[in-house]
Amino acid sequence: MASTCRAGADPKTSVVAPRFRSHDVDNLFICDASVLPRTAIGPLCMAVATVATFAAQRLVSDHFS
């Protein structure tokens, strides 16, 4: 389901921090359709693939470099 985990800096108004880390659960990263702010008309596969690729690049640069 899309748009169910709002991303943002404030834990009071969002579920996911800007770098895909959950505000409430340690070491939980959310990078699927639920972080998309709006749903697209049609299949979400390309939008989800883009978010996942971007999140993977961020995770590698933040935690494995």
Side-chain angles (χ1 to χ4, degrees), residues 5-49:
C5 293
R6 179 181 291 219
D10 185 6
K12 293 179 183 176
T13 60
S14 62
V15 177
V16 181
R19 290 196 165 296
F20 303 99
R21 182 184 293 265
S22 169
H23 288 298
D24 297 327
V25 181
D26 290 336
N27 297 320
L28 174 65
F29 295 87
I30 303 171
C31 56
D32 60 358
S34 64
V35 300
L36 296 173
R38 293 185 180 91
T39 58
I41 296 173
L44 292 174
C45 60
M46 289 307 293
V48 172

